[in-house]
Amino acid sequence: MRLRPVEPKDAAAIDAINALIPEGEYLSLSVKDRSDAADMISRLTPFDHMFVFETEDENPEICAIVLLRVNHQIYLRRTSYLRVIVAPKYQGKGFGKILIDAALKFANDELMMERVEVEIPTDNIAALKLCKSAGLKVEGIAKDWLRTSDGRYVDAYLMARCRSV
Amino acid sequence: MEIRPVELEDADAIAAIRREDGVREGVMSLSGERTDATVNFLRSLSGKDRGFVAVEDGKIIGFAVLLSEKDPSREHCASIAVMVGKNSQKRGVGRALLARLTDCADNELELHRLELLVLTDNEKAVKLYKSAGFTVEATKKHAAVVRGAFVDEYLMGRLHSKEAAI
C-alpha cells in the first residue's frame, strides 16, 4: 500500500467510494464534498492537502482518501481539519488508524500545524475510540451539529490534537 | 445609534476598526491587514449571509456578520461574529448588533443553530453571548495566535429557542 497526493484523474474512483459510504459515517467527506470529487479537487487551495491510499500492483486500486484542509488564516490559526474515508471493502483492516497516524505525522512534522481537528457524530462510538487511540482529545460536544437527510439532528464530538499541549 | 445592513462602501471604516489594538486580537485580524481583504469579504457574502453596521453621527462604530453554512448537512447552522470599535465599547453597541443577528437567524432565516468562537479571556464578550442564549460547548486549545502566543477559544452554540422548547 502507498499514500500519494491526489490527482485529478482519481476523481471517478473517489466518487465511486463516496457513493458506497452511508450518510453520517465516521470521518467521511462532507455531503458537499461527496457529490463531485473532480470539482472538490479543483477547489483545493495551496494550503490544503489530499492523499489517496492505494494498492501497489499493476492496476492500483484506491482504498482510502485522506483530506487535510488548512485554515486559510494561517498566521492567526494554525489549524487543520482532517477527514479520512476508507472504501467499504477495505474497512476492518486497521487502515483508518494507519491513515490518521500518517496525517497527524504529516501535519506535525512537515506543516508544524498546531491543531488538527476532527468532528465525529456522537452515535459513532467506534470512530470516537479510533480517534482517541490516535491521540485526539474530545474538546466538547456541539449540539445538533449535523442534520441527516431524513431531518434528524445529531450532536458531534469536537476533537483535536495539539502539537504543543 | 442606528443599525443598518452593511454596504461595500463601509469597507474602509470596517477595515480600520479591524486593525485597532484591542479589537484585532478578538476578530482574527492583523495590523497589516489591507482594506481589500475586507472588500473581498463583503463581496463574498451570499444571499443567506447577513452583515450589519452600527452607525453613530454618520460614523461606523461596529460591525456584525452572520455566515450561513453551505454544506447540506449543516445548512441549519450559521456562525456569527460581532466587533465594536475600541472607543465605542461598553455602551451596548455589541448587544444591539448581536440582537439584530439573532433576530435575523430566528425570524427571517429560521436557522436551528448559531455558533461562534470567542477568546476564553474575553470575559465581557462571553457574558454578552451567554445573555443571548449561547452556551460554551467546547474549549479549543491553542486555537488562535495573540501577541506571540497560542491562546484558547470557546466554541459557543445556541439553538433556536422556539424549537428547543419542543
Side-chain angles (χ1 to χ4, degrees):
Chain A
M1 306 295 289
R2 72 180 157 217
L3 193 62
R4 64 161 172 84
V6 73
E7 303 283 349
K9 67 177 168 61
D10 301 324
I14 293 170
D15 279 336
I17 292 172
N18 285 336
L20 297 172
I21 303 292
E23 183 182 45
E25 189 86 345
Y26 158 57
L27 289 180
S28 68
L29 305 179
S30 75
V31 176
K32 189 180 179 190
D33 289 343
R34 291 169 64 166
S35 57
D36 183 354
D39 180 53
M40 193 209 141
I41 293 166
S42 73
R43 286 186 290 106
L44 293 172
T45 75
F47 293 134
D48 293 333
H49 299 277
M50 186 170 176
F51 300 90
V52 293
F53 191 57
E54 65 183 5
T55 58
E56 291 185 85
D57 43 33
E58 270 179 38
N59 295 304
E61 184 180 355
I62 294 176
C63 315
I65 304 136
V66 177
L67 177 63
L68 192 71
R69 284 192 184 277
V70 176
N71 189 297
H72 68 278
Q73 285 186 300
I74 191 118
Y75 308 109
L76 292 158
R77 297 192 187 282
R78 310 291 168 77
T79 297
S80 54
Y81 312 92
L82 174 62
R83 283 179 171 162
V84 174
I85 184 166
V86 179
K89 68 185 271 200
Y90 291 99
Q91 290 177 4
K93 298 177 189 294
F95 289 164
K97 178 70 164 59
I98 289 168
L99 293 172
I100 293 172
D101 287 346
L104 292 178
K105 185 169 168 27
F106 172 72
N108 188 70
D109 294 357
E110 296 191 50
L111 306 182
M112 283 187 74
M113 192 57 57
E114 179 63 15
R115 283 174 61 81
V116 178
E117 297 187 2
V118 172
E119 303 154 9
I120 297 171
T122 49
D123 54 9
N124 196 336
I125 302 301
L128 176 67
K129 281 186 182 165
L130 176 57
C131 284
K132 280 184 174 172
S133 77
L136 290 142
K137 291 193 171 69
V138 174
E139 294 189 315
I141 296 177
K143 290 287 293 175
D144 296 357
W145 184 255
L146 295 170
R147 185 169 55 190
T148 61
S149 55
D150 59 6
R152 197 165 46 89
Y153 292 115
V154 183
D155 299 348
Y157 292 112
L158 304 184
M159 303 186 74
R161 198 286 312 267
C162 275
R163 193 172 188 276
S164 61
V165 172
Chain B
M1 182 189 58
E2 175 206 6
I3 308 276
R4 64 156 171 79
V6 68
E7 290 169 19
L8 204 51
E9 291 68 34
D10 302 327
D12 278 336
I14 294 168
I17 296 173
R18 282 181 58 79
R19 287 188 291 261
E20 284 181 20
D21 293 343
V23 174
R24 69 167 174 275
E25 297 85 352
V27 300
M28 296 298 116
S29 181
L30 298 165
S31 58
E33 187 181 274
R34 292 186 298 278
T35 300
D36 65 359
T38 299
V39 171
N40 291 338
F41 173 75
L42 293 177
R43 283 210 176 103
S44 76
L45 295 179
S46 71
K48 289 183 75 182
D49 300 328
R50 293 291 181 274
F52 295 100
V53 286
V55 184
E56 190 174 65
D57 301 330
K59 189 169 175 281
I60 289 171
I61 56 174
F63 174 55
V65 67
L66 179 153
L67 301 172
S68 291
E69 289 286 340
K70 309 292 184 284
D71 189 301
S73 66
R74 301 208 68 232
E75 271 178 338
H76 60 291
C77 306
S79 56
I80 65 160
V82 176
M83 72 168 193
V84 179
K86 196 67 190 159
N87 295 327
S88 306
Q89 295 180 359
K90 301 177 192 169
R91 289 169 35 206
V93 180
R95 184 174 298 275
L97 283 164
L98 178 60
R100 187 66 177 261
L101 288 185
T102 53
D103 181 53
C104 263
D106 293 348
N107 303 314
E108 186 184 325
L109 298 167
E110 297 184 347
L111 293 163
H112 179 68
R113 177 185 160 85
L114 284 181
E115 60 205 29
L116 61 88
L117 292 167
V118 59
L119 298 176
T120 54
D121 64 3
N122 191 349
E123 289 166 15
K124 281 179 299 181
V126 171
K127 201 174 155 197
L128 170 64
Y129 294 132
K130 280 183 175 169
S131 76
F134 286 84
T135 59
V136 172
E137 294 183 314
T139 304
K140 296 182 163 235
K141 293 292 291 178
H142 290 190
V145 172
V146 174
R147 287 183 285 276
F150 288 118
V151 295
D152 302 345
E153 278 185 320
Y154 291 132
L155 172 77
M156 301 186 75
R158 171 189 181 273
L159 301 184
H160 191 313
S161 51
K162 282 176 204 156
E163 286 183 78
I166 294 170

